[in-house]
C-alpha cells in the first residue's frame, strides 16, 4: 500500500540536478584526461560486455577493467608502456605521426586539437585560417567531439549551423545543460559575434529551450540592438511540444516590437502560425493592431482573441465589412464570442467607429444577443449593450427573451408598446414600474391586437392607477383610451387622486357618468370632484347629500355647478346640511345674500347659532319677511349686544348704523319691542333703547 503514497513516486529534483552536474564534470574531466593520468587512476573503469573482449583480457563478461589494464593488454613492449606512463606518448601521438605520413590537416587544426580538443578546453574565439579547416577538424577529432566544451567555438558552431550539420544537436544539448557555466559564456559570446547568431537562437528555440525568449529579452549579455532579431528568430522556430516561458518582460517586448518581426509580418505556414499563436495566447499577449500581421497568423490570432478589440482590428478579423455591428459580428463565431466576453471594449470600439452608429441594428440580432449573453454580464453591462442598440431593433414579442431582461429592455425602450408585451410585462413585474411607464409615455398609445376586453381593461386600470410612475393624468387617460375598451371601467377599481383625473375619465367615457364615480373620488377632495362636475352632463340630477357632504361651500361658489343645483341645496338645507356645519351654513348665508334669496326662519336660526355672524344674519333678517318675534328669536342666538333683544339684560346699547339695522329696528319699534333708536353724534352707531 505504500506504493500509493505520491511522495514515493517523485525524485528530489534538487538532488537529481546536483548529481547530473557532478556527472557532467566527471565526463568533462575524462574527456580531457591524458594517457599518463588515466594510467595512474583506478576510478574510471570499462565494463566488458562482449565475450571477445572478455576473452582477450582473460576475464568473464561483466568484469570492469581500468585504463592500466587496457595499456598492459594493448602494448606488448615494456618500454612503450613506460613511455605512456611517463607522458612521452600521449593522445596526440597520431597527430605527430601524421606529419610524417602525409595526413597533416593544417597547423591551425593541429594546434586546436592539441590545445583544446584533446584536453577538452573551450576557446570561443579561436580562429581557423586554412581552407576547409573546420571540416578537417571534424574529421580528425575523436568521436563525440561535438558533445564536448572544446566544440564551443564560434567558427565551429557557425559552420555546423550554416551547413545544417546534424552534429549541431550535440552543441544544442551542451548549451542547454542546467549546470553549464562554460556553455552559457559561449552563448553570450556567440550572440555578440558578427556571424549569424539568430540561427543559433532559432535552433535553441526549436530544440525546446523553454527560457530562450526570456534570455534574449532580459539577459544583460545580449546586445540591445539585436534583441528584436533574436526574438523574431526564436518565435519563428518554436515547436509545438515545448513549454516556453513568456514572462511579463517578454510579453511587453513582443507587443512593442511585433510589427518589426518577420514572424508576424511575413506569411508563414499554417503550422508555424498555429504554434506561435498558441504560445503568445497562452502568455496573454494581446496584439494592439492586426494591420501589420500577415495571414495565416492573423487568422489564428483572430480565432484565439489575441488582439485588442478596436474597430480596425474587428474589420480585419471580420474580413473588412462596412460596419462592426453585432449583426455583422454574429457571422463569425470566434469574434462574436470575443465581443460577448469583453462587451465594454466592444462598445468602446463602436463609439469610436463613425461607420457604426449602433451596436445592434436588427431585431433578430437583439434577440440573439440577449439570449446569448454570458453569465458574467451584470445589469450595467446589459444596460450598456441595450443602450447602444438601434430603435429599429426593438422586439415585437417580449417573450422571445428571458424575463429577467425585460426591465432592462423597457429602460432602453427596446420592445414595442403592444398590449401583448405590456400585459406580459405587467404580469411578470406586478406593476407599471418606471421603465415601462417611460416607454409607454414616449409611445403615447398602446398597440392592440386580438386581446379580449378583460385584458384591455386590466391594463387600462393598471395604467390609470400608475400615478407614481406616470405623473400626468392626461398621459394615463390617453394610453387607456388607446386600448379601445368595449365597456366603461368600474370606478371602484380606480384609485382616486386630486386633480383632473375624474374629469378626464368622464370626458373620454372611460367610466360611466354616474353617482358611483363621484362617490369613489370624494376622498380625493374638491378639485377632483369639481373637474368631474365640469365634465359631467348629469351631475345635478343625482347629486345628493352624500356626495355634497363637506363640499357645500365649494358647490355654491363653483362656476361649474349649475344654478339649479345651488337652488336645490339652499331650498333643502335640512337634507344637504343635516348638522350645524358652520362653514356650510356660512356659505349658504352668503349665497342667499348674493342671490337675494329668502331663507326660512328655521334656517336663519341655524345660521345664527352656527356662524355667530352678526352682520350676515342681520342682512338676512332685513331681506326676509320674518315677524318681530321671529326677528327677536333669531337675534337672541347672536352674541351681545344682539342677544339683549331677547334677554333684555341691557335696555340701552348701540349697533352699527346701516340700512339693514335701521330696517330691523323700525320693524321692532313698530311692534313695541324697541322704544327708540337714534344716531350717536360722535360715531356711525345707532343707540337702541328698549322699553323698561
Amino acid at each position: 500500500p505504500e506504493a500509493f503514497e505520491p511522495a514515493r513516486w517523485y525524485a528530489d529534483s534538487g538532488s537529481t540536478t546536483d548529481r547530473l552536474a557532478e556527472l557532467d564534470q566527471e565526463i568533462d574531466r575524462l574527456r580531457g584526461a591524458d594517457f599518463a593520468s588515466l594510467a595512474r587512476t583506478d576510478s574510471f573503469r570499462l565494463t566488458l560486455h562482449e565475450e571477445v573482449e572478455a576473452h582477450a583480457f582473460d576475464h568473464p563478461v561483466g568484469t570492469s577493467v581500468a585504463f592500466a589494464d587496457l595499456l598492459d593488454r594493448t602494448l606488448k613492449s615494456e618500454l612503450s608502456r613506460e613511455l605512456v606512463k611517463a607522458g612521452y606518448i600521449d593522445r596526440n601521438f597520431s597527430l605527430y605521426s601524421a606529419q610524417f605520413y602525409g595526413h597533416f590537416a593544417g597547423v591551425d587544426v593541429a594546434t586546436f586539437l592539441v590545445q583544446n580538443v584533446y584536453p577538452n578546453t573551450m576557446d570561443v574565439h579561436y580562429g581557423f585560417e586554412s581552407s576547409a579547416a573546420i571540416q578537417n577538424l571534424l574529421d580528425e577529432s575523436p568521436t563525440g567531439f561535438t558533445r564536448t566544451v572544446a566544440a564551443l567555438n564560434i567558427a565551429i558552431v557557425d559552420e555546423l549551423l550554416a551547413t545544417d550539420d546534424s552534429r549541431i544537436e550535440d552543441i544544442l544539448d551542451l548549451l542547454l545543460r542546467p549546470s553549464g557555466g562554460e556553455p552559457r559564456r559561449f552563448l553570450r559570446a556567440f550572440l555578440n559575434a558578427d556571424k549569424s547568431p539568430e540561427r543559433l537562437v532559432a535552433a535553441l528555440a526549436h530544440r525546446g529551450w523553454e527560457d530562450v525568449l526570456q534570455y534574449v529579452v532580459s539577459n544583460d549579455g545580449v546586445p540591445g540592438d539585436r534583441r528584436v532579431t533574436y526574438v523574431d528568430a526564436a518565435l519563428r522556430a518554436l515547436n509545438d511540444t515545448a513549454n516556453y516561458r513568456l514572462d511579463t518582460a517578454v510579453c511587453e517586448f513582443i507587443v512593442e516590437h511585433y510589427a518589426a518581426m518577420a514572424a508576424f509580418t511575413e506569411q508563414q505556414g499554417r503550422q508555424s502560425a498555429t504554434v506561435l499563436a498558441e504560445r503568445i495566447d497562452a502568455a496573454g499577449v494581446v496584439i494592439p493592431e492586426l494591420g501589420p500581421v500577415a495571414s495565416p497568423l492573423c487568422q489564428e490570432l483572430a480565432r484565439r482573441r489575441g488582439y485588442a478589440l478596436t474597430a480596425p482590428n474587428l474589420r480585419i478579423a471580420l474580413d473588412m465589412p462596412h460596419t462592426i455591428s453585432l449583426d455583422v459580428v454574429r457571422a463569425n463565431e470566434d469574434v462574436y464570442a470575443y465581443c460577448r466576453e469583453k462587451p465594454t471594449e466592444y462598445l468602446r470600439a463602436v463609439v469610436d467607429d463613425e461607420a457604426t452608429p449602433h451596436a445592434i441594428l436588427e431585431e433578430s440580432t437583439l434577440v440573439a444577443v440577449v439570449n446569448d449573453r454570458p453569465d458574467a454580464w451584470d445589469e450595467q453591462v446589459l444596460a450598456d449593450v441595450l443602450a447602444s442598440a438601434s430603435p429599429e431593433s426593438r422586439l415585437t414579442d417580449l417573450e422571445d427573451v428571458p424575463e429577467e431582461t425585460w426591465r432592462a429592455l423597457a429602460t432602453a425602450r427596446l420592445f414595442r408598446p403592444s398590449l401583448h408585451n405590456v400585459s406580459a410585462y405587467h404580469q411578470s413585474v406586478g406593476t407599471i414600474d418606471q421603465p415601462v411607464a417611460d416607454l409607454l409615455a414616449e409611445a403615447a398609445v398602446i398597440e392592440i391586437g386580438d386581446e379580449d376586453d378583460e385584458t384591455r381593461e386590466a391594463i387600462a386600470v393598471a395604467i390609470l392607477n400608475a400615478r407614481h410612475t406616470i405623473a400626468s393624468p392626461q398621459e394615463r387617460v390617453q394610453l387607456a383610451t388607446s386600448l379601445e375598451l368595449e365597456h366603461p371601467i368600474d370606478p371602484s377599481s380606480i384609485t382616486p387622486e386630486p386633480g383632473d383625473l375624474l374629469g378626464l375619465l368622464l370626458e373620454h367615457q372611460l367610466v360611466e357618468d354616474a353617482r358611483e364615480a363621484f362617490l369613489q373620488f370624494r376622498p380625493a377632495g374638491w378639485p377632483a370632484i369639481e373637474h368631474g362636475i365640469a365634465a359631467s352632463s348629469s351631475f345635478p340630477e343625482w347629486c345628493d347629500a352624500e356626495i355634497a357632504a363637506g363640499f357645500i361651500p365649494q358647490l355654491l361658489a363653483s362656476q361649474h355647478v349649475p344654478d339649479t343645483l345651488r337652488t336645490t341645496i339652499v331650498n333643502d338645507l335640512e337634507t344637504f346640511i343635516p348638522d350645524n356645519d358652520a362653514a356650510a351654513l356660512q356659505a349658504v348665508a352668503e349665497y342667499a345674500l348674493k342671490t337675494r334669496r329668502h331663507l326660512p326662519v328655521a334656517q336663519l336660526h341655524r345660521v345664527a347659532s352656527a356662524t355667530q355672524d352678526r352682520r350676515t344674519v342681520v342682512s338676512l333678517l332685513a331681506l326676509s319677511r320674518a315677524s318681530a318675534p321671529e326677528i327677536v328669536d333669531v337675534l337672541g342666538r347672536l352674541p351681545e349686544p344682539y342677544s339683549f333683544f331677547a334677554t333684555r339684560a341691557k335696555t340701552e346699547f348701540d349697533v352699527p348704523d346701516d340700512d339693514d339695522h335701521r330696517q330691523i329696528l323700525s320693524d321692532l319699534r313698530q311692534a313695541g319691542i324697541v322704544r327708540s333708536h337714534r344716531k350717536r353724534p360722535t360715531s356711525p352707531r345707532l343707540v337702541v333703547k328698549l322699553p323698561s
Side-chain angles (χ1 to χ4, degrees):
E2 62 271 14
F4 292 98
E5 297 178 10
R8 292 178 175 267
W9 289 89
Y10 294 95
D12 183 339
S13 59
S15 300
T16 303
T17 301
D18 293 342
R19 181 58 182 149
L20 288 173
E22 293 175 3
L23 292 174
D24 286 338
Q25 292 173 1
E26 289 187 5
I27 291 170
D28 289 340
R29 287 198 303 271
L30 183 58
R31 281 180 169 145
D34 56 25
F35 291 166
S37 62
L38 287 173
R40 291 193 298 270
T41 183
D42 194 44
S43 58
F44 296 116
R45 305 184 68 82
L46 175 68
T47 301
L48 303 177
H49 292 292
E50 298 181 6
E51 292 185 5
V52 175
E53 292 177 348
H55 178 73
F57 285 95
D58 195 21
H59 292 303
V61 174
T63 303
S64 62
V65 296
F67 183 81
D69 297 326
L70 293 173
L71 182 63
D72 293 340
R73 177 69 182 82
T74 304
L75 300 180
K76 306 303 181 182
S77 165
E78 179 66 25
L79 175 61
S80 62
R81 290 195 294 269
E82 291 301 323
L83 288 173
V84 170
K85 293 177 181 178
Y88 293 107
I89 294 179
D90 59 17
R91 64 195 304 168
N92 298 320
F93 181 77
S94 61
L95 177 63
Y96 301 148
S97 63
Q99 300 181 47
F100 299 100
Y101 294 99
H103 297 291
F104 186 58
V107 175
D108 51 355
V109 174
T111 302
F112 191 78
L113 285 168
V114 173
Q115 295 181 352
N116 300 102
V117 176
Y118 296 141
N120 193 26
T121 59
M122 183 177 72
D123 187 347
V124 175
H125 298 287
Y126 185 88
F128 296 91
E129 299 176 357
S130 58
S131 60
I134 304 300
Q135 190 59 49
N136 289 336
L137 173 65
L138 295 172
D139 291 341
E140 294 292 333
S141 297
T143 302
F145 160 64
T146 51
R147 293 194 294 272
T148 70
V149 294
L152 297 181
N153 171 271
I154 291 175
I156 296 173
V157 174
D158 188 65
E159 177 74 11
L160 293 174
L161 289 168
T163 59
D164 199 21
D165 193 305
S166 62
R167 285 171 287 189
I168 192 63
E169 301 296 330
D170 296 334
I171 301 295
L172 298 178
D173 290 341
L174 192 60
L175 292 175
L176 296 179
R177 273 189 188 177
S179 59
E182 287 184 318
R184 291 305 166 90
R185 287 196 297 274
F186 167 77
L187 178 60
R188 177 171 181 170
F190 194 89
L191 295 183
N192 283 273
D194 293 331
K195 300 291 185 178
S196 300
E198 66 274 7
R199 289 189 297 201
L200 179 58
V201 173
L204 288 168
H206 191 70
R207 188 67 170 175
W209 184 19
E210 297 176 350
D211 295 326
V212 60
L213 289 166
Q214 291 182 194
Y215 183 87
V216 296
V217 168
S218 302
N219 191 277
D220 293 337
V222 178
D225 59 346
R226 297 186 183 181
R227 293 191 195 275
V228 173
T229 301
Y230 294 161
V231 172
D232 183 30
L235 292 176
R236 282 184 286 161
L238 301 178
N239 68 53
D240 58 356
T241 59
N243 184 24
Y244 300 97
R245 282 187 277 270
L246 279 70
D247 59 10
T248 301
V250 173
C251 294
E252 292 177 351
F253 188 90
I254 292 174
V255 170
E256 182 178 357
H257 299 286
Y258 75 95
M261 299 181 191
F264 289 90
T265 60
E266 295 181 5
Q267 191 167 1
Q268 52 187 306
R270 172 65 66 178
Q271 178 64 23
S272 298
T274 300
V275 172
L276 175 54
E278 285 177 350
R279 296 301 183 271
I280 65 175
D281 177 56
V285 173
V286 176
I287 300 302
E289 298 179 11
L290 287 177
V293 182
S295 182
L297 178 58
C298 184
Q299 297 173 352
E300 285 294 324
L301 291 175
R303 187 172 67 85
R304 299 175 183 276
R305 312 170 197 176
Y307 57 94
L309 269 181
T310 64
N313 284 349
L314 283 171
R315 280 194 167 79
I316 292 173
L318 295 168
D319 199 19
M320 303 307 291
H322 177 63
T323 76
I324 58 169
S325 70
L326 289 173
D327 309 79
V328 175
V329 171
R330 282 180 62 211
N332 187 311
E333 182 56 36
D334 295 321
V335 179
Y336 182 44
Y338 192 20
C339 293
R340 297 201 313 273
E341 180 183 315
K342 295 184 177 295
T344 302
E345 289 84 346
Y346 168 71
L347 292 178
R348 189 179 300 117
V350 171
V351 171
D352 294 339
D353 186 44
E354 294 183 357
T356 309
H358 299 285
I360 300 173
L361 300 176
E362 299 177 0
E363 179 183 358
S364 59
T365 302
L366 177 60
V367 172
V369 169
V370 173
N371 286 321
D372 295 343
R373 73 197 188 287
D375 293 338
W377 282 17
D378 58 19
E379 292 182 3
Q380 186 57 53
V381 169
L382 178 60
D384 291 342
V385 171
L386 296 180
S388 69
S390 167
E392 300 301 319
S393 68
R394 62 182 181 169
L395 301 179
T396 300
D397 190 344
L398 189 58
E399 294 180 326
D400 286 341
V401 295
E403 283 189 39
E404 62 266 22
T405 66
W406 290 1
R407 183 179 176 87
L409 287 161
T411 300
R413 318 284 202 274
L414 284 180
F415 61 82
R416 299 184 67 84
S418 66
L419 179 56
H420 170 77
N421 288 339
V422 176
S423 178
Y425 188 98
H426 182 257
Q427 290 178 17
S428 173
V429 177
T431 183
I432 301 296
D433 63 4
Q434 198 61 58
V436 77
D438 293 341
L439 181 149
L440 293 174
E442 182 179 284
V445 296
I446 298 176
E447 303 165 6
I448 58 175
D450 56 358
E451 295 83 4
D452 56 33
D453 195 58
E454 182 179 353
T455 301
R456 299 186 192 187
E457 181 175 341
I459 296 304
V461 170
I463 291 173
L464 292 172
N465 289 334
R467 174 187 176 190
H468 297 293
T469 54
I470 307 178
S472 169
Q474 289 85 354
E475 292 180 356
R476 280 179 276 147
V477 169
Q478 182 176 353
L479 288 168
T481 302
S482 69
L483 293 171
E484 300 179 6
L485 302 179
E486 296 179 3
H487 305 287
I489 298 171
D490 182 356
S492 65
S493 63
I494 300 175
T495 302
E497 65 180 62
D500 55 356
L501 177 59
L502 176 59
L504 292 169
L505 293 173
L506 294 170
E507 178 183 344
H508 292 274
Q509 300 178 4
L510 291 174
V511 297
E512 187 176 355
D513 186 0
R515 178 175 182 274
E516 289 72 19
F518 285 85
L519 282 176
Q520 177 69 10
F521 272 78
R522 266 187 49 79
W526 169 251
I529 297 298
E530 185 175 32
H531 281 98
I533 294 171
S536 174
S537 60
S538 58
F539 179 75
E541 299 175 8
W542 36 257
C543 177
D544 55 21
E546 185 179 5
I547 294 175
F551 299 137
I552 296 298
Q554 294 89 341
L555 286 167
L556 294 175
S558 175
Q559 296 179 351
H560 299 294
V561 176
D563 287 340
T564 55
L565 177 57
R566 286 196 282 258
T567 300
T568 300
I569 292 172
V570 172
N571 290 342
D572 194 6
L573 289 182
E574 291 289 347
T575 300
F576 282 93
I577 310 177
D579 54 5
N580 289 331
D581 183 339
L585 291 171
Q586 181 73 40
V588 169
E590 292 174 356
Y591 178 76
L593 284 177
K594 180 181 178 181
T595 58
R596 309 300 291 174
R597 294 180 182 276
H598 299 262
L599 292 181
V601 172
Q603 299 306 322
L604 290 177
H605 289 167
R606 295 177 64 200
V607 170
S609 298
T611 68
Q612 298 288 285
D613 185 345
R614 292 168 285 192
R615 182 70 187 85
T616 301
V617 171
V618 169
S619 298
L620 288 173
L621 286 171
L623 184 65
S624 70
R625 299 184 178 84
S627 65
E630 291 173 334
I631 293 174
V632 171
D633 189 24
V634 171
L635 292 176
R637 300 172 186 271
L638 295 175
E640 296 177 352
Y642 297 94
S643 62
F644 297 154
F645 287 101
T647 65
R648 302 179 69 84
K650 284 187 178 182
T651 58
E652 185 175 337
F653 49 88
D654 57 0
V655 296
D657 183 7
D658 56 39
D659 292 341
D660 292 336
H661 281 83
R662 287 180 179 275
Q663 179 180 334
I664 290 175
L665 291 174
S666 296
D667 292 343
L668 293 177
R669 191 174 61 181
Q670 290 178 3
I673 297 173
V674 172
R675 189 175 72 181
S676 67
H677 61 278
R678 58 182 176 81
K679 181 176 174 57
R680 187 179 292 278
T682 58
S683 67
R685 306 284 292 180
L686 293 173
V687 178
V688 179
K689 289 184 178 182
L690 302 179
S692 55

